[in-house]
Amino acid sequence: MSLLKDLGSHGQAVWLDFVDRKFLADGGLQKLVDADGLTGVTSNPSIFEKAMGHGDAYDADLAAFDKANPGASAMARYEHLAIGDIRTAADTLRPVYDRLDAKDGYVSLEVSPYLANDTDGTIAEAAKLWGEVDRPNLMIKIPGTPAGVPAIAATIAAGINVNVTLLFSISAYQAVALAYVEGLEARVARGEAIDRIASVASFFVSRIDAKIDDKIDAGVGGDDAKALKGKVAIANAKLAYDWYRDFAKSARWQALAAKGAQPQRLLWASTGTKNPDYPDTLYLDTLIGAETVNTVPPKTMDAFRDHGTVADTLGADIAGARHVISEAERLGLDLDGVTDTLVEEGVGSFSKAFDDLLGAIAAKQPATA
C-alpha cells in the first residue's frame, strides 16, 4: 500500500496542492486518486500564475474564448480558464465525492485576493464562482481575515462549501470555526439541510517556522531559543487540533452533529519544508490525525511516498506542545506578531501573484486575438 494511502487508515485525507491543465489532461490527477488515495485538490493564485502564465497549454482555449468574447477583460479570461480546470478536477474527483457521501472529493477555488478585506465583495464573489463552476464538490476559498469571518458564515448559510485559507493563529482559527457553526445554525433555523455542506480550515505551517527560525538565528531568545527551531509551527498546529477535539464535544457542536453536520476539518497547508536542514516530510510525519487533511505539493508528496513515517502523531504530547509555545512567549519570539505579519504577507503575496497572472494573460491577448 502507498504510504500516502495509508494515511487514510489514520483518518487523514491527502489533497494535492497543485493544478495544471496538462497534468489534468494527461490523467495525472486520476493516477494519484488510484495509486495514493488522493481525495482533494487545492489551487491558489500562485499556482494558477505558474500554470497559466508560462507555456502554451492554455493558448488555444484562450484564443477561442477571445474570439467569442471580444474585448473581454483579463479577469474574465482568467476566470474562464480557471473554471475550466476546476470543473475538470471536480469531475475527476466526483466518484470520490459520491463514494464518500459528500465527506470528501473536493476541489478548491479562491475568491480574488483583492477582496481579503471586503466582506460583501467576498460573499458576492463566492456565490458567483459557485454558480459558474456548478459542481457540488467545489469549495470556495475565503481568507480567514477579520473581514472574511462574517463572509464565511454567510457563505456557509447559503449552502456553499468553504475552504478557509491563510490561518496562522489559533485565535483566528477559533473565529472561523465558530463562523462555520453560525452558518450551519442559520440554515437549521430556516429548516434547511446541513448534512452535505463541507468546510476545511487551512492552517499554514512552514511559514511560521521560517519566521521564528529567522528570529532565533538573529539572536532573539539567546541560546535557549535554539532548542525551539523547527518546533513552534508543529506545536501551534497541535494546540489548534487539541482545541478542535474539545470543541467537537461541546453541546453546541453536538446539536449540529445530531442533524448530520460534517466537522470542519483542520487542513495543514504550506507543508513543504522551507529549511533544507529539516526532513522533507517533517510537516506530514508530525501532523497525522483523525478528521484532518494535509494538502501537499507534488515534490513533498513524492518524498512522503518514498520515505514518510505513518503514525498517529498529531494528538501526541500536547503537554510538550504547550511547553514549546510557552517557551516561545517567555523568550520573546512573539508568535502573535509573527502570525499577524504572515496574514498580511499572505494576502500581499497572493495579490502580487494575481497581478502577475492577470498581466500574463493580458500579454497573451495580442497573440491570440
Side-chain angles (χ1 to χ4, degrees), residues 6 16 44 65 70 83 104 133 140 146 149 194 196 233 250 252 271 281 298 301 312 321 341 357 368:
D6 197 26
L16 177 68
N44 62 49
F65 178 77
I83 286 168
D104 214 330
V133 173
I140 300 296
V149 172
I194 60 173
R196 296 182 73 81
S250 69
R252 187 177 184 185
T271 54
T281 60
M301 190 171 282
D312 290 319
T341 297
L357 168 59
T368 57

Side-chain angles (χ1 to χ4, degrees), residues 2-344:
S2 162
L3 286 173
L4 289 158
K5 185 176 283 189
D6 197 26
L7 290 173
S9 65
H10 291 258
Q12 183 169 72
V14 178
W15 289 8
L16 177 68
D17 194 24
F18 175 77
V19 67
D20 176 272
R21 184 154 297 188
K22 187 175 186 303
F23 169 77
L24 294 170
D26 291 346
L29 178 57
Q30 186 64 58
K31 290 175 185 174
L32 293 177
V33 171
D34 295 340
D36 295 313
L38 190 85
T39 57
V41 172
T42 50
S43 65
N44 62 49
S46 298
I47 289 172
F48 274 129
E49 192 277 326
K50 291 181 177 68
M52 296 177 188
H54 309 280
D56 57 6
Y58 294 85
D59 288 0
D61 186 8
L62 190 59
F65 178 77
D66 289 341
K67 185 175 181 179
N69 302 273
S73 67
M75 178 70 81
R77 295 197 294 273
Y78 152 72
E79 288 184 352
H80 169 74
L81 297 178
I83 286 168
D85 281 0
I86 294 298
R87 284 175 175 164
T88 299
D91 291 345
T92 302
L93 286 165
R94 184 60 186 269
V96 176
Y97 173 84
D98 290 340
R99 172 172 55 84
L100 298 177
D101 195 26
K103 293 177 173 58
D104 214 330
Y106 289 93
V107 181
S108 297
L109 176 62
E110 191 138 5
V111 298
S112 166
Y114 303 150
L115 298 172
N117 297 309
D118 181 348
T119 300
D120 292 340
T122 296
I123 293 168
E125 177 143 331
K128 177 174 78 87
L129 293 175
W130 175 258
E132 290 180 353
V133 173
D134 192 25
R135 298 294 188 273
N137 56 330
L138 173 69
M139 279 190 176
I140 300 296
K141 292 181 81 172
I142 297 175
T145 57
V149 172
I152 291 158
T155 302
I156 289 294
I160 298 171
N161 308 310
V162 175
N163 176 340
V164 184
T165 188
L166 287 179
L167 295 173
F168 295 93
S169 72
I170 293 174
S171 61
Y173 160 57
Q174 291 168 338
V176 303
L178 294 176
Y180 175 57
V181 167
E182 289 168 11
L184 294 177
E185 288 172 340
R187 291 184 64 80
V188 169
R190 296 194 299 260
E192 296 170 345
I194 60 173
D195 58 313
R196 296 182 73 81
I197 297 173
S199 180
V200 295
S202 295
F203 207 88
F204 284 55
V205 187
S206 66
R207 297 184 196 183
I208 292 175
D209 276 342
K211 286 283 191 190
I212 293 289
D213 288 0
D214 283 348
K215 287 191 163 205
I216 294 171
D217 289 342
V220 177
D223 287 343
D224 286 353
K226 293 177 182 178
L228 300 182
K229 288 190 68 173
K231 295 181 180 178
V232 173
I234 294 165
N236 195 46
K238 281 175 174 277
L239 295 187
Y241 183 64
D242 191 55
W243 182 88
Y244 160 76
R245 291 194 298 181
D246 280 346
F247 183 70
K249 300 172 187 173
S250 69
R252 187 177 184 185
W253 175 254
Q254 286 298 314
L256 291 168
K259 296 181 182 298
Q262 298 186 35
Q264 183 190 55
R265 291 175 293 171
L266 271 161
L267 178 150
W268 312 120
S270 185
T271 54
T273 50
K274 302 191 184 308
N275 187 332
D277 294 335
Y278 298 156
D280 51 5
T281 60
L282 176 66
Y283 300 116
L284 277 77
D285 294 341
T286 55
L287 298 175
I288 300 169
E291 295 184 335
T292 62
V293 181
N294 202 315
T295 184
V296 190
K299 184 177 178 182
T300 307
M301 190 171 282
D302 291 343
F304 190 84
R305 189 188 296 110
D306 180 67
H307 53 265
T309 302
V310 180
D312 290 319
T313 50
L314 184 56
D317 195 17
I318 297 300
R322 293 190 192 285
H323 176 72
V324 167
I325 298 302
S326 66
E327 280 292 278
E329 182 178 357
R330 181 180 72 83
L331 296 169
L333 294 174
D334 189 21
L335 179 58
D336 289 342
V338 165
T339 56
D340 287 346
T341 297
L342 284 168
V343 173
E344 294 176 11

